[in-house]
Each structure stands twice: as structure tokens, then as C-alpha cells.
Amino acid sequence: MSALTAVSGVNYTKYAAGGMSNFVTQQWANNLQMVHDEYTVPAGDTVAVSTYINMGRVPKGARVLFFIFTNSGSGAASTGGIRIGEVAATAVAALTDMTSATTQVLGSLIAFSGTPLAAESKVDILLTSDADLDAATNITLTTVYIQDGVGL
Amino acid sequence: MSALTAVSGVNYTKYAAGGVANLVSQQWMAPLEFVFDEYTVPTGDTVAVAGVISFGVVPKGARVLFHVITYTAAGAAATGTIKVGTTTSASVTSMVAAGSQVLGALIASSGTPTTADSVVTLTIAAQDLDAATNITLTTVYIQDGIGISAT
């Protein structure tokens, strides 16, 4: 057993072996990509607890890095989690109290950044608190990812 | 000495002087770029306090904006410092449980473009990183020298 003091990531190892030209992959000097979606609760309706709100799809091969969530103020203390392919990509109540207008930037769990998606997958928000999302609440969700298979 | 009430950024000043056509530069409407890397501590080993993990290289001319780190549970309350070259860019809090952190870069990384290709590193602090811990680190930057140009 060793207590390591100098180690390298997978891509840095390529760089160390062959310089920048060996390092160039789709995981270097490539562009971030995103899926943006928005939803407004219809007048006179609410979105009930345990409902999921579909908010776009990310393609096969994506490594999802983080999310940007905004809401206009739901009037109730709704919370929620973000899922990809109906698997938790954040903590189940990572979207905290939405009573007032909020913006949150949330990293994904490593299951979605460490491994590219094996298939195109739905992004949704699962409401997890005991408070409904009130009428006219407007939410946006931007899912930011890198594509493990497209690029340089 | 004045208590200023309406001032402009460097690029907005260009816009004000000549409209959008004057604003177009590599710092406007150019894509965000990234370096992604991942590391797994070998079975039976740890990464020691003060150990350094190299996570890719950002090119000369990069202005680093933020970092996204994700990790499986480190087993111990390891923290860390992300550096771009020798410049401290962000601080990582406890990785004892699986999670992720989105960390804005310090202005030393965003306010001045790198003057050479620079290694992105994570220096471990507080506790060792346990065997089998898996980490990804994505460094997001804009390129101050490549992109849309007015000329």
C-alpha cells in the first residue's frame, strides 16, 4: 500500500506521454453543450408532490456536469431533485425551498460525469417536498454536458 | 476622488464607442471551452495529504472561469486546492461523501489569460484520499485569442 504524492488523470497521462498533440481528444478544447427547457404551471392548476416535470433530453454519449435552475417563486415550499433517465443526478431535495424566486447551480453526481450516457436520456425534476408547485410558477432548467464522442 | 454611479466594463466601452460591430471579439459570442479529466485512486493505495493530482492542461491564452468537480465518497474528509499552473484557482471542501461542487475561479485565473500551457492540479489537504475514490474535474475557460474576430 502506498500513500501516493503525485498522480495523474487519464487525459493528463496522455499529455505526459506524448505532449499536447497526444492529449487532444473530445475531452479537451471542446465546447460545453446544453439542453435548456422551461415550464409554467397553468393558471388555476398546481403541480402535485411526487410529480415529475420533463425538461428535455440529453444525447447518448453525454457526460452531464451541472445544472442551472431558476424559478419565479412557487408560493409554497416546494423542493425537488433532478433525474436523468429517471435516476437521481442530484440529491433528492437539492432544489431547495422554492417559495421565493431562486437560482441554483448544482453539480451532477459522478455517475453522470464519470460515465457517458449509454442512451439518449430524459431530464426531469421530481418534486419531493410536501408542498405543491403553485399556479403560474415559471421554472427553467439548463443541463450542461460534454459530449464524449464528438469533437476534435 | 469620485463616487462613481455609472461605469462600464472594458468590452462594454468598445460597444458604446462603436456598437456591436466594435464589440465583436474573442470575448463575445465565443463558445465556452473545457478540459475534462478523471482519476481513480488505485486499490490498496491512498493519495496523501499534500499529494498532487494532475488533471489536464489548459492552453496558453485561457481565462479560466470555473471548475466542476464530482467524486465518489473519499472515505475521509479530504479537501483540496485547485491550481492552474502555480496560481490558486479554487478551494474544494470535504469530499467525505459522494457529491459535486461547482466552483468559480478566482480572478487571478479569469482576469488574466494564461501565458503558457498550464497544468490543472488538485492538491489534497486535511485527510488522505482513500483507495478507489473516483474524481472527475472539468475546467471551463474562454480562449483569449481564438474566436470570432471583427477583422
Side-chain angles (χ1 to χ4, degrees), chain A residues 43-137:
Chain A
D45 293 335
T46 61
V47 177
V49 172
S50 299
T51 299
Y52 55 84
I53 305 168
N54 297 320
M55 296 294 270
R57 298 180 71 84
V58 285
K60 178 181 178 180
R63 292 178 187 258
V64 176
L65 302 181
F66 65 97
F67 308 92
I68 302 172
F69 172 80
T70 64
N71 93 97
S72 62
S74 78
S78 310
T79 64
I82 301 169
R83 306 185 306 175
I84 298 173
E86 302 192 356
V87 175
T90 66
V92 293
L95 302 174
T96 54
D97 187 346
M98 301 181 211
T99 304
S100 302
T102 58
T103 300
Q104 290 183 251
V105 180
L106 302 162
S108 73
L109 297 177
I110 196 168
F112 293 97
S113 59
T115 306
L117 291 173
E120 182 184 303
S121 301
K122 182 181 71 173
V123 181
D124 65 29
I125 295 171
L126 178 64
L127 296 180
T128 50
S129 75
D130 56 0
D132 293 348
L133 206 59
D134 286 358
T137 303

Side-chain angles (χ1 to χ4, degrees), chain A residues 1-12 20 23 27-32 63 65-66 107-108 110 113-114 146, chain B residues 31-39 44-48 51-54 56-57 68 70 100 117 119 134 136 138 141:
Chain A
M1 181 268 194
S2 300
L4 306 171
T5 58
V7 296
S8 300
V10 172
N11 285 326
Y12 185 82
M20 198 62 91
F23 182 46
Q27 295 172 356
W28 180 82
N30 212 336
N31 301 336
L32 290 179
R63 292 178 187 258
L65 302 181
F66 65 97
S108 73
I110 196 168
S113 59
I146 62 176
Chain B
L32 293 176
E33 298 184 12
F34 69 87
V35 171
F36 172 91
D37 210 345
E38 60 185 321
Y39 175 74
D45 294 336
T46 61
V47 176
V52 177
I53 307 172
S54 297
V57 179
V68 183
T70 68
S100 60
D117 292 349
V119 181
N134 180 213
T136 74
T138 306
Y141 62 93

Side-chain angles (χ1 to χ4, degrees), chain B residues 1-23:
Chain B
M1 181 268 195
S2 300
L4 305 172
T5 58
V7 296
S8 301
V10 171
N11 285 328
Y12 187 84
T13 300
K14 296 177 187 173
Y15 168 83
V20 169
N22 198 45
L23 177 65

Side-chain angles (χ1 to χ4, degrees), chain B residues 60-125:
Chain B
K60 179 181 177 180
R63 291 177 186 259
V64 174
L65 303 182
F66 63 95
H67 309 269
V68 183
I69 185 169
T70 68
Y71 40 87
T72 57
T79 63
T81 300
I82 298 171
K83 293 183 179 180
V84 177
T86 57
T87 302
T88 296
S89 188
S91 296
V92 178
T93 57
S94 175
M95 295 183 272
V96 66
S100 60
Q101 297 176 43
V102 181
L103 304 164
L106 296 174
I107 195 165
S109 296
S110 62
T112 305
T114 53
T115 56
D117 292 349
S118 301
V119 181
V120 180
T121 59
L122 173 64
T123 303
I124 301 300

